[in-house]
Coordinates of all heavy atoms in Angstrom, one line a residue:
M7 N 84.8 119.7 121.7 CA 85.5 118.5 122.2 C 86.9 118.5 121.6 O 87.2 118.8 120.5 CB 84.8 117.2 121.6 CG 85.5 115.9 122.0 SD 84.7 114.4 121.3 CE 83.3 114.3 122.3
K8 N 87.9 118.2 122.5 CA 89.2 118.1 122.2 C 89.6 116.7 121.7 O 89.0 115.7 122.1 CB 90.2 118.4 123.4 CG 90.1 119.8 123.8 CD 91.0 120.1 124.9 CE 90.9 121.5 125.4 NZ 91.8 121.8 126.5
K9 N 90.5 116.7 120.7 CA 91.0 115.4 120.2 C 92.4 115.2 120.8 O 93.2 116.0 121.0 CB 91.2 115.4 118.7 CG 90.0 115.2 117.9 CD 90.3 115.1 116.4 CE 89.1 114.7 115.7 NZ 89.4 114.4 114.3
I10 N 92.6 113.9 121.1 CA 93.9 113.5 121.7 C 94.5 112.6 120.6 O 93.9 111.6 120.2 CB 93.8 112.8 123.0 CG1 93.2 113.7 124.0 CG2 95.1 112.2 123.4 CD1 92.9 113.1 125.4
H11 N 95.7 112.8 120.2 CA 96.5 112.0 119.3 C 97.6 111.3 120.2 O 98.4 112.0 120.8 CB 97.1 112.8 118.2 CG 96.0 113.4 117.3 ND1 95.5 112.8 116.2 CD2 95.4 114.7 117.4 CE1 94.6 113.6 115.7 NE2 94.5 114.7 116.4
L12 N 97.7 110.0 120.0 CA 98.7 109.2 120.8 C 99.4 108.4 119.7 O 98.9 107.7 119.0 CB 98.0 108.3 121.8 CG 98.8 107.3 122.5 CD1 99.8 108.1 123.4 CD2 98.0 106.4 123.4
I13 N 100.7 108.6 119.8 CA 101.6 107.8 119.0 C 102.4 106.9 119.9 O 103.1 107.4 120.8 CB 102.5 108.6 118.2 CG1 101.7 109.6 117.2 CG2 103.5 107.8 117.3 CD1 102.6 110.6 116.4
C14 N 102.2 105.6 119.8 CA 102.9 104.8 120.8 C 103.8 103.7 120.1 O 103.6 103.6 118.8 CB 101.9 104.0 121.7 SG 100.4 103.6 120.9
N15 N 104.6 103.1 120.8 CA 105.5 102.2 120.2 C 105.4 100.9 120.9 O 105.6 100.7 122.1 CB 106.9 102.7 120.4 CG 108.0 101.8 119.9 OD1 107.7 101.0 119.0 ND2 109.2 101.9 120.3
A16 N 105.0 99.9 120.1 CA 104.9 98.5 120.6 C 106.2 97.9 120.2 O 106.3 97.3 119.1 CB 103.7 97.8 120.0
H17 N 107.2 98.0 121.1 CA 108.5 97.5 120.7 C 108.6 96.1 120.8 O 108.5 95.4 121.8 CB 109.6 98.1 121.6 CG 110.9 97.7 121.2 ND1 111.6 98.2 120.2 CD2 111.8 96.7 121.8 CE1 112.8 97.6 120.1 NE2 112.9 96.6 121.0
L18 N 108.6 95.5 119.6 CA 108.7 94.0 119.5 C 109.9 93.7 118.7 O 110.1 94.2 117.6 CB 107.5 93.5 118.8 CG 106.2 93.5 119.5 CD1 105.1 93.1 118.6 CD2 106.2 92.7 120.8
D19 N 110.8 93.0 119.3 CA 112.0 92.5 118.5 C 112.1 91.0 118.8 O 112.8 90.5 119.6 CB 113.2 93.2 119.0 CG 114.4 93.0 118.1 OD1 114.3 92.2 117.2 OD2 115.4 93.7 118.3
P20 N 111.1 90.3 118.1 CA 110.8 88.9 118.5 C 112.0 87.9 118.4 O 112.1 86.9 119.2 CB 109.7 88.4 117.6 CG 109.9 89.4 116.4 CD 110.4 90.7 116.9
V21 N 112.9 88.1 117.6 CA 114.1 87.1 117.5 C 115.3 87.6 118.2 O 116.3 86.8 118.3 CB 114.4 86.7 116.0 CG1 113.2 85.9 115.4 CG2 114.7 87.9 115.2
W22 N 115.2 88.8 118.7 CA 116.4 89.3 119.4 C 116.2 89.1 121.0 O 117.1 88.7 121.6 CB 116.7 90.8 119.2 CG 117.8 91.4 119.9 CD1 117.8 92.1 121.1 CD2 119.1 91.3 119.5 NE1 119.0 92.5 121.4 CE2 119.9 92.0 120.5 CE3 119.8 90.7 118.4 CZ2 121.3 92.2 120.4 CZ3 121.2 90.9 118.4 CH2 121.9 91.6 119.4
L23 N 115.0 89.3 121.4 CA 114.7 89.2 122.8 C 114.3 87.8 123.2 O 114.5 87.4 124.4 CB 113.5 90.1 123.2 CG 113.8 91.6 123.0 CD1 112.5 92.4 123.2 CD2 114.8 92.1 124.0
W24 N 113.7 87.0 122.3 CA 113.2 85.7 122.7 C 113.5 84.7 121.7 O 113.8 85.1 120.5 CB 111.6 85.8 122.9 CG 111.2 86.8 123.8 CD1 111.3 86.9 125.2 CD2 110.4 88.1 123.5 NE1 110.7 88.0 125.7 CE2 110.1 88.7 124.7 CE3 110.1 88.6 122.3 CZ2 109.5 89.9 124.7 CZ3 109.4 89.8 122.3 CH2 109.1 90.5 123.5
R25 N 113.3 83.4 122.0 CA 113.2 82.4 120.9 C 112.1 82.8 120.0 O 111.1 83.4 120.5 CB 113.1 81.0 121.5 CG 114.3 80.6 122.3 CD 114.1 79.1 122.7 NE 112.8 78.7 122.9 CZ 112.3 78.1 123.9 NH1 113.1 77.8 124.9 NH2 111.0 77.7 124.0
W26 N 112.0 82.4 118.8 CA 111.0 82.8 117.8 C 109.6 82.4 118.3 O 108.6 83.2 118.1 CB 111.3 82.3 116.4 CG 110.9 80.9 116.2 CD1 111.5 79.8 116.2 CD2 109.6 80.5 115.7 NE1 110.8 78.7 115.9 CE2 109.6 79.1 115.6 CE3 108.4 81.1 115.5 CZ2 108.4 78.3 115.2 CZ3 107.2 80.4 115.1 CH2 107.3 79.0 115.0
E27 N 109.5 81.3 119.0 CA 108.1 80.8 119.4 C 107.6 81.9 120.5 O 106.4 82.2 120.5 CB 108.2 79.4 120.1 CG 108.5 78.4 119.1 CD 110.1 78.1 119.1 OE1 110.8 78.9 119.6 OE2 110.4 77.0 118.5
E28 N 108.5 82.2 121.4 CA 108.1 83.2 122.4 C 107.8 84.6 121.7 O 106.8 85.3 122.1 CB 109.1 83.4 123.5 CG 109.3 82.2 124.3 CD 110.5 82.2 125.2 OE1 111.6 82.4 124.7 OE2 110.4 82.1 126.4
G29 N 108.6 84.9 120.8 CA 108.4 86.2 120.0 C 107.1 86.2 119.3 O 106.4 87.3 119.3
C30 N 106.8 85.1 118.7 CA 105.5 85.0 118.1 C 104.3 85.1 119.0 O 103.3 85.9 118.8 CB 105.4 83.6 117.4 SG 103.9 83.4 116.4
T31 N 104.4 84.5 120.2 CA 103.4 84.7 121.2 C 103.2 86.1 121.7 O 102.1 86.6 121.8 CB 103.7 83.8 122.5 OG1 103.8 82.4 122.0 CG2 102.7 83.9 123.6
E32 N 104.3 86.8 121.8 CA 104.3 88.2 122.3 C 103.6 89.1 121.1 O 102.8 90.0 121.4 CB 105.7 88.8 122.6 CG 106.2 88.2 123.8 CD 105.5 88.5 125.1 OE1 104.9 89.7 125.1 OE2 105.4 87.7 126.0
A33 N 104.0 88.8 119.9 CA 103.4 89.6 118.8 C 102.0 89.4 118.7 O 101.1 90.4 118.5 CB 104.1 89.1 117.5
L34 N 101.5 88.1 118.8 CA 100.1 87.8 118.7 C 99.3 88.5 119.8 O 98.2 89.0 119.6 CB 99.8 86.3 118.7 CG 100.3 85.5 117.5 CD1 100.2 84.1 117.7 CD2 99.6 86.0 116.2
S35 N 99.9 88.6 121.0 CA 99.3 89.3 122.1 C 99.2 90.7 121.9 O 98.1 91.3 122.1 CB 100.1 89.0 123.4 OG 99.6 89.8 124.5
T36 N 100.2 91.4 121.3 CA 100.1 92.8 121.0 C 99.1 93.0 120.0 O 98.3 94.0 120.0 CB 101.5 93.3 120.5 OG1 102.5 93.0 121.6 CG2 101.5 94.7 120.1
F37 N 99.1 92.2 118.9 CA 98.1 92.4 117.8 C 96.6 92.2 118.4 O 95.7 92.9 118.0 CB 98.3 91.5 116.6 CG 99.4 92.0 115.7 CD1 100.7 92.2 116.1 CD2 99.1 92.3 114.4 CE1 101.7 92.7 115.3 CE2 100.0 92.7 113.5 CZ 101.3 93.0 114.0
R38 N 96.4 91.3 119.3 CA 95.1 91.1 119.9 C 94.7 92.3 120.7 O 93.5 92.7 120.6 CB 95.1 89.8 120.8 CG 95.0 88.6 120.1 CD 94.8 87.5 121.1 NE 95.6 86.3 120.7 CZ 96.7 85.8 121.2 NH1 97.1 86.5 122.3 NH2 97.3 84.9 120.8
T39 N 95.6 92.9 121.4 CA 95.3 94.1 122.1 C 94.9 95.2 121.2 O 94.0 96.0 121.5 CB 96.5 94.5 123.0 OG1 96.8 93.4 124.0 CG2 96.3 95.8 123.8
A40 N 95.7 95.4 120.1 CA 95.4 96.4 119.1 C 94.0 96.2 118.5 O 93.3 97.2 118.4 CB 96.5 96.4 118.1
E41 N 93.7 95.0 118.3 CA 92.3 94.7 117.7 C 91.3 95.1 118.8 O 90.3 95.7 118.3 CB 92.2 93.2 117.4 CG 90.8 93.0 116.8 CD 90.6 91.5 116.5 OE1 91.0 90.7 117.3 OE2 89.9 91.2 115.5
R42 N 91.4 94.8 120.0 CA 90.5 95.3 121.0 C 90.4 96.9 121.1 O 89.3 97.4 121.2 CB 90.8 94.8 122.4 CG 90.5 93.3 122.7 CD 90.5 93.0 124.1 NE 91.6 93.4 124.9 CZ 92.8 92.8 125.0 NH1 93.0 91.7 124.4 NH2 93.8 93.3 125.8
F43 N 91.5 97.5 120.9 CA 91.5 98.9 120.9 C 90.7 99.5 119.7 O 90.1 100.5 119.8 CB 92.9 99.5 120.9 CG 93.6 99.5 122.3 CD1 94.9 99.7 122.4 CD2 92.9 99.0 123.4 CE1 95.6 99.7 123.6 CE2 93.6 98.9 124.6 CZ 94.9 99.3 124.7
T44 N 90.8 98.8 118.5 CA 90.1 99.3 117.4 C 88.6 99.2 117.6 O 87.9 100.0 117.1 CB 90.5 98.6 116.1 OG1 90.2 97.2 116.2 CG2 91.9 98.8 115.7
D45 N 88.2 98.2 118.4 CA 86.8 98.0 118.7 C 86.3 99.0 119.7 O 85.2 99.6 119.6 CB 86.5 96.6 119.2 CG 86.7 95.5 118.1 OD1 86.6 95.9 116.9 OD2 86.9 94.4 118.5
E46 N 87.2 99.3 120.7 CA 86.9 100.2 121.8 C 86.9 101.7 121.4 O 86.2 102.5 122.0 CB 87.8 99.8 122.9 CG 87.3 100.5 124.3 CD 88.3 100.0 125.4 OE1 88.8 98.9 125.3 OE2 88.3 100.7 126.4
F47 N 87.9 102.0 120.6 CA 88.1 103.4 120.3 C 88.0 103.7 118.8 O 88.9 103.4 118.1 CB 89.5 103.9 120.8 CG 89.8 103.6 122.3 CD1 90.5 102.5 122.7 CD2 89.3 104.4 123.2 CE1 90.8 102.2 124.0 CE2 89.5 104.1 124.6 CZ 90.2 103.1 124.9
P48 N 86.9 104.3 118.4 CA 86.7 104.6 117.0 C 87.8 105.5 116.5 O 88.3 106.4 117.2 CB 85.4 105.4 116.9 CG 84.7 104.9 118.2 CD 85.8 104.7 119.2
G49 N 88.4 105.2 115.3 CA 89.4 105.9 114.7 C 90.8 105.5 115.2 O 91.8 106.0 114.7
F50 N 90.9 104.5 116.1 CA 92.2 103.9 116.5 C 92.8 103.2 115.3 O 92.2 102.4 114.6 CB 92.1 103.0 117.7 CG 93.3 102.3 118.1 CD1 94.2 103.0 119.0 CD2 93.7 101.1 117.6 CE1 95.4 102.4 119.4 CE2 94.9 100.5 118.0 CZ 95.7 101.2 118.9
T51 N 94.1 103.5 115.1 CA 94.8 102.9 114.0 C 96.0 102.2 114.5 O 96.8 102.8 115.2 CB 95.2 103.9 112.8 OG1 94.0 104.6 112.4 CG2 95.9 103.3 111.7
F52 N 96.3 101.0 114.1 CA 97.5 100.3 114.5 C 98.3 99.8 113.3 O 97.7 99.4 112.3 CB 97.1 99.1 115.4 CG 98.3 98.2 115.7 CD1 99.1 98.5 116.7 CD2 98.5 97.0 115.0 CE1 100.2 97.7 117.1 CE2 99.6 96.2 115.3 CZ 100.4 96.5 116.4
N53 N 99.5 100.0 113.3 CA 100.4 99.5 112.2 C 101.7 99.1 112.8 O 102.1 99.6 113.9 CB 100.6 100.4 111.0 CG 101.2 101.7 111.4 OD1 102.0 101.8 112.2 ND2 100.8 102.8 110.7
H54 N 102.4 98.3 112.2 CA 103.7 97.8 112.7 C 104.7 97.6 111.5 O 104.2 97.4 110.3 CB 103.6 96.5 113.4 CG 104.7 96.3 114.5 ND1 105.9 95.9 114.1 CD2 104.7 96.6 115.8 CE1 106.7 95.9 115.2 NE2 105.9 96.3 116.2
N55 N 105.9 97.8 111.7 CA 106.9 97.8 110.6 C 107.6 96.5 110.3 O 108.4 96.4 109.5 CB 107.9 98.9 110.7 CG 108.8 98.7 111.9 OD1 108.5 97.9 112.9 ND2 109.9 99.3 112.0
E56 N 107.2 95.5 111.1 CA 107.9 94.2 110.9 C 107.0 93.2 110.1 O 106.0 92.6 110.6 CB 108.4 93.6 112.2 CG 109.5 94.4 112.8 CD 109.9 93.9 114.2 OE1 110.8 93.0 114.1 OE2 109.4 94.3 115.1
A57 N 107.3 92.9 108.9 CA 106.5 92.0 108.1 C 106.3 90.7 108.6 O 105.3 90.0 108.5 CB 107.0 92.0 106.6
I58 N 107.4 90.2 109.3 CA 107.3 88.8 109.9 C 106.2 88.7 110.9 O 105.5 87.7 111.0 CB 108.6 88.4 110.5 CG1 108.6 86.9 110.9 CG2 109.0 89.2 111.8 CD1 108.6 86.0 109.7
L59 N 105.9 89.8 111.6 CA 104.7 89.7 112.6 C 103.4 89.5 111.8 O 102.6 88.8 112.4 CB 104.8 91.0 113.4 CG 106.1 91.3 114.2 CD1 105.9 92.5 115.1 CD2 106.6 90.1 114.9
Y60 N 103.2 90.2 110.8 CA 102.0 90.0 110.0 C 101.9 88.6 109.4 O 100.8 88.0 109.4 CB 101.9 91.1 108.9 CG 101.7 92.4 109.3 CD1 102.7 93.4 109.5 CD2 100.4 92.9 109.8 CE1 102.4 94.7 109.9 CE2 100.1 94.2 110.2 CZ 101.2 95.1 110.3 OH 100.9 96.3 110.7
Q61 N 103.0 88.1 109.1 CA 103.0 86.7 108.6 C 102.6 85.7 109.6 O 101.8 84.8 109.4 CB 104.4 86.3 108.0 CG 104.5 84.9 107.4 CD 105.9 84.6 106.9 OE1 106.6 85.5 106.6 NE2 106.2 83.3 106.8
W62 N 103.2 86.0 110.9 CA 102.8 85.1 112.0 C 101.4 85.2 112.3 O 100.7 84.1 112.7 CB 103.7 85.5 113.2 CG 105.1 85.0 113.1 CD1 105.7 84.2 112.2 CD2 106.2 85.5 114.0 NE1 107.0 84.0 112.4 CE2 107.4 84.8 113.5 CE3 106.3 86.3 115.0 CZ2 108.6 85.0 114.1 CZ3 107.5 86.5 115.7 CH2 108.7 85.8 115.2
V63 N 100.8 86.4 112.3 CA 99.4 86.5 112.5 C 98.6 85.7 111.5 O 97.7 85.0 111.8 CB 99.0 88.0 112.5 CG1 97.4 88.2 112.5 CG2 99.6 88.7 113.7
K64 N 99.0 85.9 110.2 CA 98.3 85.2 109.1 C 98.3 83.7 109.3 O 97.3 83.0 109.1 CB 98.9 85.7 107.8 CG 98.2 85.1 106.6 CD 98.8 85.6 105.3 CE 98.1 85.0 104.1 NZ 98.7 85.5 102.9
E65 N 99.5 83.2 109.7 CA 99.7 81.8 109.8 C 99.0 81.2 111.1 O 98.6 80.1 111.0 CB 101.2 81.4 109.8 CG 101.8 81.7 108.5 CD 103.4 81.5 108.5 OE1 103.9 81.2 109.6 OE2 104.0 81.6 107.4
N66 N 99.1 81.9 112.1 CA 98.7 81.4 113.5 C 97.3 81.8 114.0 O 96.7 81.1 114.7 CB 99.7 81.7 114.6 CG 101.0 81.1 114.3 OD1 101.2 79.9 114.5 ND2 102.0 81.9 113.7
E67 N 96.9 83.0 113.5 CA 95.5 83.5 113.9 C 94.9 84.3 112.7 O 94.7 85.5 112.8 CB 95.6 84.4 115.1 CG 95.8 83.6 116.4 CD 95.6 84.5 117.6 OE1 94.6 85.3 117.6 OE2 96.3 84.3 118.6
P68 N 94.6 83.6 111.7 CA 94.1 84.2 110.4 C 92.8 85.0 110.6 O 92.6 86.0 110.0 CB 93.9 83.1 109.4 CG 93.9 81.8 110.2 CD 94.7 82.1 111.5
D69 N 92.1 84.7 111.6 CA 90.8 85.5 111.9 C 91.2 86.8 112.6 O 90.3 87.8 112.5 CB 89.9 84.7 112.8 CG 89.3 83.5 112.1 OD1 89.2 83.5 110.8 OD2 88.7 82.7 112.8
L70 N 92.3 87.0 113.1 CA 92.8 88.2 113.8 C 93.0 89.2 112.7 O 92.7 90.4 112.8 CB 94.0 87.9 114.6 CG 94.6 89.1 115.3 CD1 93.6 89.7 116.4 CD2 95.9 88.7 116.0

């Protein structure tokens, strides 16, 4: 069996592209999708480099 490695970029720049409320909504949507992928694809790993996005998840959807 062959392994496929995929490195993708979820480009989120929440306060540059949108007002912060819209940016927060986009970030939460991206994180929800990543969570579904971790359930669907064993070994899938998601990380992001913007700490504010993790804070928004913690504040707005702590179960996520």
